[in-house]
Amino acid sequence: METKFQMVAKTFQGLEDVLRDELIELGAENVEMGLRMVTFEGDNEVMYRANLCCRTALRILKPIVKFTADSTDELYDYVRDLDWEQFMNVDSTFSIDSTVNSAEFNHSKFVTYRVKDGIADHFNDKYGRRPSIRLNGADIQLNVHISDNRVTISLDSSGEPLSKRGYRVEQTEAPINEALAAGIIMKTGWRGDCDFVDPMCGSGTFLIEAALIAANINPGIYRESFAFEKWPDFDEELFEDIYNDDSAEREFAYKIYGGDISPEAVMIARKNIKSARVEDMIDIQCKPLVDWTDNAPEGVMVTNPPYGERLKPENINLLYKSIGSTLKTYFKGWHAWIIGFRDEQFAEIGLKPSVKIPLHNGSLECSLREYVLFDGKYSDFRADGGSVSNPDAKKDAGPKKVRHISDDDWERQAKKFNSGKGFADDRKKKKTFSRDDHKRSFDSAPRGGYRNDDDDDFDFRPVKDNRANRGNDRNKAQGRPFSRDNRNDRGERKSFDRNGGREDYRRSDGRNDRGGFRNDRDRDNRGGFRNDRDRDNRGGFRNDRDRDNRGGFRNDRDRDNRGGFRNERPTRESSYNPANSKGPRLPESSETVINTVHMRSRKGWKKQEGED
């Protein structure tokens, strides 16, 4: 019998109750909701199923240690003392993602930096060399969560967020997140028992997620890989059995309809639908909302109209008025669910909602509202036994109150959690802070260091260390603290042919795992780093295209005698281009090539045209 362990599933605020029910259905035990997360217990099989089957989870984390730290130095000391050989070796690659809500720790990037230091110095102390950072496809992906002074370090079993299903090959300007779309549909109570419509479908996310729910297809079957597949205890045979089990899939007896006023959006949606192989369930057309005049007697509509934030129609109020008039005239007998941002826009619809559910769409505090549509007056509708209530809808907006345990309880829980794992519990001995490499202490980020960033969840982009001696590879040249490995050893997913055998799968999307570190041209003279205007949306730092083939840094002709770097005038190839607002142009060899999703053959899928 496999050992059970504690896990954490992260999700959007407002979807905690949906995720809780998903985990219980998968066999998880001791399931408890928190804020934007659900804790549960299970074995490896439950962890594999949670990654493959949960529609509303963003990540599945496996905590490995819990402790308290009152400064970044204390955090560093604890991390340096941990027995990291349980999880990696000097030849491993690792990445770190940090989420911080604390007055003691100023910035999540700096926390990431100090944890990286602790791990690197742990191995340097013992072996004289250290594991390498890798931004993409690392062997071990760590998650650091700090609330006040309470630190939890976890293994990330998912890798890329689970919302990145893998079927989306193109997208419109403001697509809704896949996990959020699935959660909204599940909030409505719709499970494929009537027609489904999204008349403003954009990239087609609601349509595809509805098809997966209706046919009970696991959303994780499109992904190339999960992080747990690189763990030493990965049970490949067990996971393949779970992956290829389509016994719970079902036939869909109705139809999913989609449309958009934009021909480009309809074209993109069709590509994504074909990539997901659900085109036999979806009918999509290019037409405006007001032309939806011929509909079934009943059904469910779910749509995400523009808010006027990123997409700006000429007259946003007129758009919402047209939504209301179309619903009242042509969708009698339907339940319409609309997610929006502003109350004044909802007011233009002119209908009274039966349900209001607060949800977060990105950084926007939105509202999901249901409108029960009927013919005639409301009094007559009620007199005939009609009701606007929807008992199947998930009306809970997540936990009403997050339980905050005392410091003593936290210490006891942390001690119990860490027991038997090889972690020495000597934190009560407040030793004087010291290091054998005489590194200066860091109680907070240095002046001119990191600016605040709005994203709590971002991929770690480590920065080059500007100090003369980091204690890493002390006998090597100063100023090159990070060993690089430019080989592509992602260990991508391997697809399954129809005979059940593996065939090699090779990425052709032009991405590599260089994992280098970019010199920030805007770095100030004190050695701190400002956020790069060209960093990616996850809040990290981009790789420097000018580094050498070993992933290191070329000597800068303008570097001053103290080992620092002077600001360098941008070249034509690397300069910021305000015309496209997307940062420096990459060479043609680095352009991303998006391919149709690769999947293993499954009994439940129809053969595509041209397949054997």
Side-chain angles (χ1 to χ4, degrees), residues 327-530:
L327 293 180
K328 287 181 282 188
T329 306
Y330 302 114
F331 284 91
K332 296 171 183 177
W334 283 62
H335 290 252
W337 294 79
I338 299 174
I339 181 171
F341 178 48
R342 300 184 185 279
D343 289 337
E344 53 268 29
Q345 293 168 356
F346 278 114
E348 296 291 344
I349 295 177
L351 295 170
K352 182 179 180 180
S354 58
V355 175
K356 295 181 181 179
I357 302 174
L359 287 175
H360 279 238
N361 186 1
S363 60
L364 301 178
E365 296 182 6
C366 296
S367 176
L368 175 65
R369 304 189 183 188
E370 180 197 29
Y371 299 91
V372 178
L373 306 167
F374 52 85
D375 192 9
K377 295 182 178 180
Y378 180 67
S379 56
D380 296 336
F381 173 70
R382 288 291 304 272
D384 292 338
S387 174
V388 297
S389 64
N390 184 353
D392 295 329
K394 289 284 183 182
K395 299 179 177 62
D396 295 338
K400 302 300 180 184
K401 185 178 180 181
V402 178
R403 185 169 64 92
H404 188 80
I405 64 174
S406 66
D407 291 340
D408 290 340
D409 287 340
W410 165 262
E411 291 282 1
R412 282 193 291 270
Q413 289 185 13
K415 184 176 181 179
K416 181 180 179 181
F417 181 86
N418 299 336
S419 64
K421 298 182 179 180
F423 299 134
D425 185 21
D426 58 355
R427 310 311 298 172
K428 295 295 184 182
K429 304 174 185 178
K430 292 291 185 178
K431 59 184 180 180
T432 304
F433 178 76
S434 63
R435 300 191 188 93
D436 57 0
D437 54 4
H438 304 292
K439 288 191 285 187
R440 64 187 178 93
S441 64
F442 293 91
D443 285 329
S444 60
R447 291 190 309 160
Y450 301 98
R451 292 180 179 173
N452 289 332
D453 193 289
D454 292 334
D455 285 334
D456 281 338
D457 298 323
F458 57 88
D459 292 339
F460 173 50
R461 300 294 189 273
V463 293
K464 184 175 180 180
D465 196 339
N466 193 35
R467 294 185 293 278
N469 186 354
R470 290 294 304 158
N472 298 329
D473 302 327
R474 298 183 180 85
N475 296 325
K476 294 188 178 181
Q478 297 180 353
R480 284 184 178 272
F482 301 110
S483 62
R484 313 304 309 146
D485 183 357
N486 203 33
R487 294 172 298 170
N488 189 341
D489 57 353
R490 287 171 56 90
E492 288 89 347
R493 280 296 276 253
K494 296 191 176 181
S495 58
F496 284 76
D497 62 21
R498 297 192 179 278
N499 296 322
R502 277 192 182 274
E503 61 186 17
D504 289 338
Y505 173 82
R506 185 180 296 277
R507 293 189 61 90
S508 58
D509 60 2
R511 292 183 291 172
N512 63 22
D513 299 312
R514 295 174 294 179
F517 302 86
R518 176 174 179 173
N519 287 334
D520 190 342
R521 66 174 62 89
D522 295 326
R523 183 171 54 173
D524 65 15
N525 293 330
R526 292 181 299 275
F529 295 82
R530 292 171 48 187

Side-chain angles (χ1 to χ4, degrees), residues 106 171 212 462:
N106 296 337
Q171 65 184 39
L212 300 183

Side-chain angles (χ1 to χ4, degrees), residues 236-252:
E236 184 176 3
E237 183 177 356
L238 172 62
F239 179 64
E240 288 179 10
D241 289 342
I242 296 172
Y243 181 96
N244 290 293
D245 181 12
D246 60 358
S247 59
E249 294 181 8
R250 55 179 178 252
E251 294 293 328
F252 178 47

Side-chain angles (χ1 to χ4, degrees), residues 197-201 206 301-305 323 337-340 368:
V197 166
D198 179 5
M200 292 176 279
C201 67
F206 275 125
M301 174 194 292
V302 178
T303 194
N304 179 33
I323 292 174
W337 294 79
I338 299 174
I339 181 171
L368 175 65

